[in-house]
Amino acid sequence: MVSKRNQSNCNLSYFDYNWGMNNVKEITSFLDNPSPKDLDLIQKAYAFSQKAHEGHLRKSGGPYFDHLFAVAKNIAELGMGVSTIAAGFLHDCIEDRKTTAEDIKKEFGDEILFLVEGVTKLGKIKYGGTNRYNESLRKFFLAVSKDLRVLIIKLCDRLHNMQTLEFLPKEKQLSIAQETLEIYAPLAYRLGIKKLQRELEDLSFAYLYPEKSKEIKKIMKEKRGEVEKHLDKFQKSLKKELAKNGITDFSMDHRVKSIYSLYKKMQKYKENVENIYDISALRIIVSKLSDCYKILGIIHGSWRPLPGRIKDYIASPKLNGYKSIHTTIFTGDGGIIEVQIRTEDMHKEAEHGIASHLSYKEEGVAGWIKELIEYQKEAGDEFVEGIKHDFFEERIFVFTPIGDVIDLPKGSSTIDFAYAIHTDVGDHMSGAKVNGKMVAITSTLVSGDRVEIETKKSAKPNQKWLPFCKTTMAKRRINNALDSKK
Ligand code: MN
């Protein structure tokens, strides 16, 4: 049982914590040059949370505080600052305990309260399980998060919940794993937090497709053994070759592909594992950018590269900001190996994504927008541009009676909502309820509204609706219906 969860090498399992290891130093050791004030804050949040959750147990029967400790540690590991770590300790105490917002404000101030309340709000969003609205739900998460630190806390919370999912009933396991795979892991990907994405995907995959997951693990094990034999030999020769050329300032390690990404890749290659060369790759990390290209030259000078497999993601980074050079070479003894070359900064960014851009010494809520803009400039990331523009300023997010999220332009009315659900619903709309109360059909919606549309067979669109529509779709449908009446 224990070993199953210990596969995640970066996070201690629930049982490890039971050995009385919840030592605050495990968390503060991730801080880079913390001030006495920083250390005090972490210690205080630790103690406050422990007290607030006294006697509170998890489904596993263990102390609830273990969860908060694990979440705070996940956050610290991503290199986040002390306010975010403190909020990690406190993220469940308003929802689950008698702690009030006032208490937190008094002890920790507005910024930490803002983060805790943000996480509490996100916890209230229900996942309907219908694919159609997943994109809206992901956008909604971003919008209500306002501050991306909230989203990072939520992702770290979900990671620990996934790591301890075995204590929940089967049915819950499946729905939580599904939600994780469809909503949380893609969010981690878009924020470029590879480390979280990988773990969230592999854990969900094992619950959702246990047979497939076992099969892939088996293939991985067989293939890995074979590749790593070549890899060890290649690594030794390469070190010599680099030394000959005066390059000594580097580190090397093996990167093993995640189970879920191998699964996806196998689907792409129609299950033919022989076409997949990066199950285990050699990663070279250097301190100077120019060394990346020097090393690439040295490798290609001595080993023949596979055509079409040289990728310079430094010159053209991936959309989520990923930077590295990849090449795949013939080792000369029958092996084929992928090599990834990058600087330390690129490596940190590849693992921690946007978390590595959110300032370590936090500047507060206003600072993050600035950093987001910086990040976007650097990464040329149209996604981040999208967050800034659409989601915060131009969109609203409203709910169907069963909790699906619909995103609409700001100023949309219940008519826009009805057409977003289905043309027939719009065409036969006879009334609307918002948050359980009857309202005029032309009412403007705001984010968070729960909207219910009433229809009648005899009801028809009306010319007078048009000024109350924001979406092109609603306007077009109404015009169509009016035209066909003529
Ligand atoms: Mn939690």
Side-chain angles (χ1 to χ4, degrees), residues 229-430:
K229 260 195 299 190
H230 297 293
L231 227 155
D232 280 339
K233 229 172 119 192
F234 170 69
Q235 194 173 336
K236 279 184 199 125
S237 331
L238 177 60
K239 268 188 189 156
K240 269 188 222 147
E241 216 39 60
L242 292 180
K244 255 199 257 165
N245 286 275
I247 297 182
T248 48
D249 186 17
F250 61 86
S251 65
M252 280 186 191
D253 66 6
H254 299 188
R255 176 299 263 131
V256 179
K257 207 169 185 59
S258 79
I259 305 284
Y260 187 65
S261 65
L262 180 56
Y263 165 70
K264 279 195 299 191
K265 206 149 194 186
M266 287 198 50
Q267 285 189 316
K268 191 170 142 197
Y269 287 103
K270 309 219 167 4
E271 310 279 313
N272 188 354
V273 74
E274 296 310 317
N275 290 334
I276 301 173
Y277 303 120
D278 62 345
I279 286 181
S280 187
L282 180 69
R283 194 184 268 155
I284 308 172
I285 297 166
V286 296
S287 47
K288 278 194 307 209
L289 172 64
S290 58
D291 281 348
C292 294
Y293 291 99
K294 267 189 216 154
I295 291 174
L296 180 71
I298 292 164
I299 293 174
H300 285 181
S302 304
W303 289 273
R304 194 156 64 83
L306 248 74
R309 305 264 323 172
I310 306 158
K311 292 181 190 121
D312 185 352
Y313 295 122
I314 295 178
S316 345
K318 286 192 186 179
L319 268 183
N320 67 357
Y322 177 79
K323 288 181 196 158
S324 193
I325 294 174
H326 293 189
T327 183
T328 304
I329 50 105
F330 295 100
T331 55
D333 59 354
I336 293 178
I337 280 168
E338 177 172 302
V339 185
Q340 305 178 347
I341 314 162
R342 57 177 80 152
T343 64
E344 276 154 26
D345 286 348
M346 290 171 196
H347 181 58
K348 206 174 136 207
E349 201 185 309
E351 291 296 300
H352 296 169
I354 203 157
S356 63
H357 288 273
L358 296 172
S359 96
Y360 181 78
K361 301 279 173 202
E362 292 164 348
E363 292 167 51
V365 182
W368 83 274
I369 290 271
K370 210 178 77 205
E371 301 215 6
L372 204 54
I373 294 165
E374 283 302 311
Y375 176 72
Q376 173 209 325
K377 263 195 241 153
E378 245 179 77
D381 191 339
E382 57 189 36
F383 172 67
V384 179
E385 171 64 31
I387 304 175
K388 220 179 67 218
H389 184 70
D390 284 3
F391 310 145
F392 291 158
E393 290 155 26
E394 309 295 341
R395 308 295 290 184
I396 59 160
F397 298 85
V398 292
F399 298 91
T400 69
I402 58 161
D404 284 329
V405 183
I406 309 291
D407 74 302
L408 293 167
K410 202 170 170 180
S412 289
S413 62
T414 55
I415 304 169
D416 293 298
F417 177 88
Y419 279 103
I421 298 293
H422 197 275
T423 310
D424 281 344
V425 176
D427 281 351
H428 298 289
M429 179 176 184
S430 63

Side-chain angles (χ1 to χ4, degrees), residues 122 125 133-146 151 183 187 190 383 386-387 390-392 395-397 405-408:
L122 279 187
I125 301 169
Y133 300 114
N134 282 352
E135 188 51 31
S136 294
L137 190 58
R138 287 192 285 264
K139 286 182 192 166
F140 180 63
F141 262 70
L142 285 166
V144 288
S145 301
K146 290 244 168 51
L151 196 56
I183 308 294
L187 278 170
R190 294 212 203 159
F383 172 67
I387 304 175
D390 284 3
F391 310 145
F392 291 158
R395 308 295 290 184
I396 59 160
F397 298 85
V405 183
I406 309 291
D407 74 302
L408 293 167

Side-chain angles (χ1 to χ4, degrees), residues 19-69:
W19 295 96
M21 278 174 56
N22 282 347
N23 188 330
V24 76
K25 280 200 186 115
E26 271 185 67
I27 288 176
T28 51
S29 66
F30 288 108
L31 298 173
D32 180 22
N33 257 326
S35 68
K37 222 176 110 204
D38 291 340
L39 295 174
D40 280 353
L41 175 60
I42 300 291
Q43 183 63 53
K44 192 172 156 190
Y46 176 99
F48 187 98
S49 161
Q50 201 170 37
K51 186 139 185 279
H53 291 274
E54 211 163 37
H56 185 195
L57 298 180
R58 294 202 91 204
K59 285 270 184 329
S60 61
Y64 199 89
F65 179 70
D66 290 353
H67 168 63
L68 302 155
F69 186 85

Side-chain angles (χ1 to χ4, degrees), residues 58 64 67-68 71 88 91-92 96 119 154 157-158 161:
R58 294 202 91 204
Y64 199 89
H67 168 63
L68 302 155
V71 172
H91 80 270
D92 279 329
D96 297 344
V119 179
K154 190 71 197 164
D157 176 42
R158 177 51 62 105
N161 288 336

